[in-house]
Every structure is written in C-alpha cells, then in structure tokens.
Amino acid sequence: MDVTTPASAPWLIVGLGNPGPEYAMNRHNVGFMVADLLAERIGGKFKRAGKAQAQVLEGRIGPVGPANRRVILAKPMSFMNLSGGPVNALRDFYKVPVGNVVAVHDELDIDYGTLRLKLGGGDNGHNGLKSVTKAMGPDYHRVRFGIGRPPGRMQVADFVLKDFSSAERKELDYFVDRAADAVECLVTEGLERAQGAYNS
C-alpha cells in the first residue's frame, strides 16, 4: 500500500469478464470466477450498482484487527473492452485510491493456472486492462491468472472466448481458489508478501 494511503481506505476488487451465461465458463471470464468465489467467502450476493453498470458487493476481508479491510467486489456488466467506465465510476463513488484497486484477469503469456501479482505496468494487449488504464491510469494492482497461449493457429480472440477445456476444468476450482487466496493476501498483507507466497 502507498504510504500516503490511509489504512482505513477501502479496496475495490474487480473481476474482469463478459456478462451473460454464454460467456460464463470462457477463459476470458476467470476474473468473474474469482470474484464469485470471494463473494461466497464474504457471504453476500452481488447487486446491480445503479449508474455504474456493474454488479457490486460490499464486505470485509481479513482477520479481526488491523489487517481487516473494507472491500467492494465488482463485476463490470459493460463487456470486457469497456470495463474502464464502470470501474472508474465505482472508484469515484466509493472514494477508493487508484493504488487500492485490484483487477483480476486472464493472462495469455503465463502458463495455465500460474499466478502473477504486480502493481502498474502495461496492458499486454488485454482489452479489459486497456480500458481500465485509459479510464484511471496504470497504477493499480493486477492479479494475473495464466491461461496459456492458443494452440496451433487458433486466433487469440477465439481462444479467450472458448470455455476451459475438460482437462483444464479438472484443476480450475483449485486455481480459482488459489487466486482468491492471493487477492485476500494482497489486500490484508500487502503486495510483497502476496508476491512471495503466490507468484510462480
């Protein structure tokens, strides 16, 4: 956390994906899957957030005491390439510092199931990140969930909008669970601790 950010400042955790049942199990929607699991852990349900074009759940993460954090979980309902508008609207509404925003997203250049956490950086061609960065700058946290590269000559757009394969689904729950753990660690213990525990 930035030293200028008060410990009481809320965190905005955003799972990136596309709305609608036809996209639910796509590789591109792994951010939604992680957000859904975090919502289960908090024990609440997502609700439509008025003008922000997103589903939102407010709650707390972490043990009782100084590490307990107020969080806003969000799933933009605008489609992936327009995620920035809803994310920035929520950030403004809840008065969340940019450094307390966490985007959970799929990452092509990392092997399936591998996690990498970082603060800032480029978008690596990811349309959701591109939109978020355009809306509020690059200085937010990312939890990058590896999906690997498409096989053979398959186009990237086709690959990310396909469901996880049957082989991948055997481990998907475990990897999503681990990504949710990484988000909780990032929010309650900081980036360095989370990178040490979950970057591989």
Side-chain angles (χ1 to χ4, degrees):
M1 189 186 300
D2 185 342
V3 291
T4 61
T5 302
S8 60
W11 285 76
L12 175 59
I13 301 166
V14 182
L16 296 181
N18 287 309
E22 67 271 37
Y23 299 105
M25 289 303 296
N26 286 182
R27 293 181 177 92
H28 224 18
N29 268 43
V30 74
F32 274 18
M33 297 174 199
V34 175
D36 285 338
L37 179 56
L38 286 167
E40 271 183 48
R41 292 181 179 185
I42 288 172
K45 291 189 176 177
F46 283 101
K47 295 177 181 173
R48 195 75 186 216
K51 297 178 181 177
Q53 213 179 350
Q55 289 187 350
V56 172
L57 167 63
E58 295 181 60
R60 301 194 77 87
I61 282 177
V64 175
N68 190 262
R69 299 281 181 257
R70 179 180 168 226
V71 298
I72 298 95
L73 274 179
K75 297 191 294 184
M77 294 287 112
S78 57
F79 287 96
M80 180 69 86
N81 60 354
L82 298 172
S83 300
V87 173
N88 205 35
L90 290 170
R91 190 185 71 77
D92 283 345
F93 181 78
Y94 288 103
K95 297 179 172 50
V96 178
V98 173
N100 276 24
V101 176
V102 183
V104 186
H105 64 92
D106 58 304
E107 179 66 64
L108 285 161
D109 287 335
I110 303 174
D111 290 340
Y112 173 60
T114 298
L115 294 177
R116 299 273 168 78
L117 287 78
K118 70 173 187 172
L119 174 63
D123 56 60
N124 206 22
H126 191 288
N127 288 331
L129 293 182
K130 199 174 291 183
S131 179
V132 173
T133 297
K134 185 177 179 184
M136 64 182 202
D139 299 325
Y140 54 94
H141 289 87
R142 300 101 190 275
V143 175
R144 306 154 73 203
F145 186 110
I147 60 169
R149 301 294 303 186
R153 297 185 178 184
M154 185 186 289
Q155 295 294 310
V156 165
D158 294 332
F159 179 68
V160 299
L161 292 175
K162 281 195 181 310
D163 289 357
F164 284 101
S165 69
S166 55
E168 288 170 332
R169 281 200 295 271
K170 289 175 182 172
E171 294 184 293
L172 183 59
D173 286 349
Y174 168 76
F175 289 139
V176 168
D177 192 69
R178 192 165 181 272
D181 290 346
V183 171
E184 291 185 349
C185 184
L186 168 62
V187 169
T188 60
E189 300 185 53
L191 178 61
E192 194 173 326
R193 187 72 174 266
Q195 285 175 324
Y198 294 97
N199 274 16
S200 48

